[in-house]
Amino acid sequence: MSAAAPTLLTGLLPRRGRVLLIGAGTEALGVSLALRGHHCVGVLPEPEAAALARVAEPLLRWVEGDADSLLLPGRAFDLAVLGEEAVLARSRRTLVPALARVAWHLGASGRLAAGFAPTSTAYGDALPLRDYDRACAAADLAYEARYADWSAARFVAGRCFAVSVHRRR
């Protein structure tokens, strides 16, 4: 994630917001948000990665799991952030249940932010934004905003990256 991500995400959060970070690449982001006064819980898929993060980044609570199996008590998070692989590494048919599981952890006005490639790149798969928006709608998440990157630059169709923000309905 970009160094600009904490600024964008802090703008989506209340003071001392609760943040759920899902997927690799969110560790430094979690530390930055924690240093800004937010309470962060990080979710990593491999037990070894979660154990390493607990030692390396003790400001956050780290659990092992993924968007498919996540079940945390006290679910009222203000914001969930999905790493790119948390979106692109699953099939389109498994995306809706994963997004619904994440949405279940959001508070009444909670938001989901995810950055990923909506068009094919040299680095791997892509997910068209219309498919992602449909999956979010099926998971009871409403479109709120879209940016070209984590610095909140204006989105223009056809770009190779997008940050999408959806809100719990």
Side-chain angles (χ1 to χ4, degrees):
M1 292 212 185
S2 148
T7 302
L8 170 64
L9 298 175
T10 295
L12 299 175
L13 285 163
R15 190 166 187 248
R16 298 200 181 283
R18 294 193 59 199
V19 183
L20 180 62
L21 302 156
I22 301 172
T26 60
E27 297 90 345
L29 172 62
V31 170
S32 181
L33 291 171
L35 290 172
R36 293 172 187 225
H38 301 293
H39 172 74
C40 300
V41 175
V43 181
L44 294 170
E46 297 86 22
E48 300 82 19
L52 249 150
R54 284 185 199 104
V55 173
E57 310 297 354
L59 286 173
L60 283 71
R61 176 177 165 222
W62 291 99
V63 297
E64 57 185 84
D66 59 27
D68 298 312
S69 61
L70 192 62
L71 185 58
L72 299 172
R75 65 181 197 184
F77 287 93
D78 299 300
L79 176 67
V81 181
L82 295 180
E84 187 168 16
E85 85 293 340
V87 176
L88 297 180
R90 63 188 69 256
S91 72
R92 288 194 175 105
R93 92 180 152 71
T94 64
L95 183 59
V96 173
L99 291 172
R101 178 68 68 149
V102 172
W104 183 86
H105 287 84
L106 294 174
S109 61
R111 293 176 169 122
L112 167 68
F116 59 90
T119 60
S120 293
T121 68
Y123 301 108
D125 294 336
L127 177 66
L129 292 172
R130 71 177 176 281
D131 292 350
Y132 180 72
D133 289 341
R134 286 181 190 143
C136 284
D140 211 22
L141 294 161
Y143 172 84
E144 184 172 289
R146 182 157 290 129
Y147 306 101
D149 56 32
W150 289 104
S151 71
R154 188 173 71 83
F155 179 76
V156 177
R159 293 269 175 109
C160 64
F161 191 79
V163 174
S164 298
V165 179
H166 288 74
R167 181 182 289 273
R168 186 171 177 187
R169 290 187 206 185

